[in-house]
Amino acid sequence: MKKRILLVDDEKEFADTLSERLRTRDFDVTTAYSGDEALEKLKEYNYDVTILDVQMPGLNGIDALREIKKLKPLTEVLMLTGHGTVETAIEGMKIGAYDFLMKPCEMDVLLSKINNAYERKYKHEERIRKAFTEKLSTSPMSVFK
Amino acid sequence: MNKCAEKEVAFFGKITAGITHEINNVLAIIKESSGLLEDILAITEEDAFPHKDRFKKILNRISGQIQRGNDITTNLNRFAHSPDYSPASVDLNEVAEQMVLLASRFARLKNVILKAGHHDESVIIKTHPVALQMALFESIEIILDLITSRGKIILFPRKTDNQYVVGVHFEDTTPDDIVIMQSISSCDRWESLEKTMVYLGGTAETDDSALEILLYLPNSIDK
């Protein structure tokens, strides 16, 4: 199954071009041009990794991150930062972002961070599945509660 | 610096920092666009595109210039944020390196090489970052006015006997080094440099034998 990426950046041409590059590398990529649009898309679909610009008009990166984590706690978030916004990205990591990237970023660095974020999400989901299976085997009726 | 001048510097810094973000976004779009062209070239058969190598070469050139542009905007952004906190703790090694990048064009126009000599340990002082950069730049300009083409200027931050110093050393290609040194403290810009150093709580001196302008700085300035 392809890894599902949500790319959020108000710079439309940047988001479109980067998403096209990721698609050529076999990712399933959706773009959103604002924090609000990202939240709408997250309600409709499960993404493995969200790449989120820190500085956007309207709902900024940190507020968007908080909402994403409320909505889809397992979705991993990579913060995209520019000059002078590294502190914001660090704040983002304190509230649940997986990592951050400086813009413009090298493709191999981006791919490595996406893959690492995906791995973490996959392992997290595996642990949840395992816990659920154990619960089911010890107490089958608990699933009907 | 009076309140109005402080506000002016802060305003200038804020606008410049904002513009560096915009330029950075432009560079990011160019980078991804040229990257996409590289991706397309990589999956195109050799025979299907006879000019593939020429395109690759040009794309490499674009990539190099994006990196250059990114380095410039990174430094300009850092410079623009200098007035954010004043006084502030700074590492003289980092300030010297940044000044080399910011002033390199002025040196290049005179065919002069500008470098930063790195002190082994961090040399941290609490000072006014903008005024410190001004003092370094004024020292560089004084030497650039006097030095001949193809000379060299090296910034040496150091800490000796509880004294914090940035040495602005020069090497010229002519045997008139001493004459240049002697004319430094009598040139018009020297007075301005001395005033800047007074604001920083320090002094500017020359060392004729070491061919250096020495900027002595206190380890901490309170206001």
Side-chain angles (χ1 to χ4, degrees):
Chain A
M1 197 169 108
K2 288 182 179 182
K3 291 167 191 163
R4 298 156 300 178
I5 311 290
L6 177 63
L7 176 58
V8 193
D9 199 306
D10 63 304
E11 285 282 338
K12 190 175 179 301
E13 290 196 38
F14 173 79
D16 289 348
T17 317
L18 183 55
S19 59
E20 201 175 336
R21 292 194 74 193
L22 290 172
R23 276 186 209 111
T24 64
R25 286 163 174 79
D26 223 24
F27 290 97
D28 173 7
V29 190
T30 303
T31 48
Y33 306 121
S34 69
D36 291 314
E37 190 186 348
L39 293 177
E40 287 307 310
K41 295 202 164 160
L42 275 154
K43 282 175 195 162
E44 293 164 10
Y45 196 65
N46 285 323
Y47 296 95
D48 298 309
V49 180
T50 297
I51 302 167
L52 181 68
D53 188 20
V54 164
Q55 219 170 32
M56 287 184 294
L59 193 64
N60 69 38
I62 289 291
D63 292 339
L65 171 65
R66 279 201 185 93
E67 294 303 315
I68 291 168
K69 284 289 167 186
K70 260 190 238 164
L71 206 59
K72 298 282 168 80
L74 292 184
T75 298
E76 294 294 352
V77 179
L78 293 172
M79 310 285 282
L80 262 184
T81 74
H83 301 127
T85 53
V86 177
E87 281 80 6
T88 316
I90 292 167
E91 192 191 332
M93 286 168 72
K94 285 179 189 164
I95 57 169
Y98 175 73
D99 206 343
F100 74 92
L101 284 146
M102 283 289 278
K103 211 167 138 185
C105 51
E106 294 300 326
M107 183 49 81
D108 52 350
V109 177
L110 174 63
L111 293 177
S112 153
K113 294 202 176 189
I114 290 175
N115 288 329
N116 291 344
Y118 175 82
E119 276 300 308
R120 187 164 90 159
K121 179 180 181 267
Y122 180 78
K123 281 180 185 164
H124 200 158
E125 284 175 337
E126 272 294 298
R127 280 198 297 274
I128 291 170
R129 261 193 294 274
K130 205 175 158 194
F132 184 74
T133 313
E134 276 170 16
K135 192 180 177 190
L136 198 63
S137 62
T138 53
S139 168
M141 294 305 285
S142 64
V143 288
F144 298 112
K145 282 179 187 169
Chain B
M1 216 184 315
N2 63 42
K3 282 283 165 209
C4 187
E6 271 176 27
K7 271 174 73 180
E8 281 177 355
V9 171
F11 163 70
F12 200 80
K14 193 171 184 177
I15 297 294
T16 307
I19 290 169
T20 61
H21 282 289
E22 292 295 284
I23 298 171
N24 208 41
N25 279 331
V26 172
L27 289 171
I29 293 167
I30 298 171
K31 184 176 175 68
E32 294 313 329
S33 302
S34 71
L36 183 58
L37 284 174
E38 278 173 24
D39 294 347
I40 294 166
L41 271 187
I43 55 170
T44 307
E45 294 286 330
E46 199 70 46
D47 300 344
F49 191 48
H51 298 294
K52 201 172 173 177
D53 282 341
R54 288 172 71 190
F55 264 75
K56 271 188 194 168
K57 225 180 264 180
I58 295 165
L59 286 169
N60 268 340
R61 208 178 297 154
I62 294 171
S63 171
Q65 290 305 308
I66 292 165
Q67 188 54 52
R68 185 181 171 204
N70 192 38
D71 291 345
I72 292 169
T73 54
T74 301
N75 278 302
L76 185 59
N77 184 270
R78 223 174 274 163
F79 179 67
H81 280 292
S82 311
D84 289 357
Y85 303 99
S86 191
S89 290
V90 297
D91 182 350
L92 293 178
N93 282 321
E94 286 175 13
V95 176
E97 277 164 20
Q98 195 188 325
M99 184 44 61
V100 165
L101 290 160
L102 290 167
S104 61
R105 178 179 161 77
F106 298 89
R108 205 167 55 239
L109 288 173
K110 284 209 72 178
N111 279 320
V112 168
I113 295 166
L114 186 59
K115 288 169 89 174
H118 204 274
H119 190 72
D120 292 341
E121 292 170 17
S122 300
V123 192
I124 295 168
I125 62 166
K126 188 179 172 192
T127 190
H128 297 297
V130 176
L132 174 61
Q133 289 177 90
M134 252 171 70
L136 284 172
F137 188 72
E138 282 176 320
S139 306
I140 292 168
E141 271 196 312
I142 287 170
I143 297 174
L144 282 177
D145 281 349
L146 301 167
I147 200 169
T148 54
S149 196
R150 285 185 290 280
K152 195 187 280 183
I153 300 175
I154 308 166
L155 308 182
F156 281 116
R158 53 193 183 254
K159 183 191 170 195
T160 46
D161 303 328
N162 287 326
Q163 277 194 308
Y164 294 83
V165 192
V166 182
V168 185
H169 168 79
F170 77 93
E171 291 166 17
D172 205 354
T173 48
T174 67
D176 299 331
D177 294 340
I178 298 295
V179 179
I180 292 174
M181 271 323 288
Q182 283 161 354
S183 50
I184 280 179
S185 52
S186 58
C187 75
D188 295 342
R189 290 177 194 266
W190 184 257
E191 198 183 330
S192 168
L193 173 62
E194 281 185 318
K195 278 183 186 162
T196 310
M197 289 307 295
V198 167
Y199 177 67
L200 289 168
T203 54
E205 292 172 22
T206 56
D207 182 340
D208 293 358
S209 57
L211 302 175
E212 261 186 336
I213 294 178
L214 296 163
L215 305 178
Y216 289 98
L217 295 150
N219 72 337
S220 180
I221 193 160
D222 294 325
K223 52 182 182 175

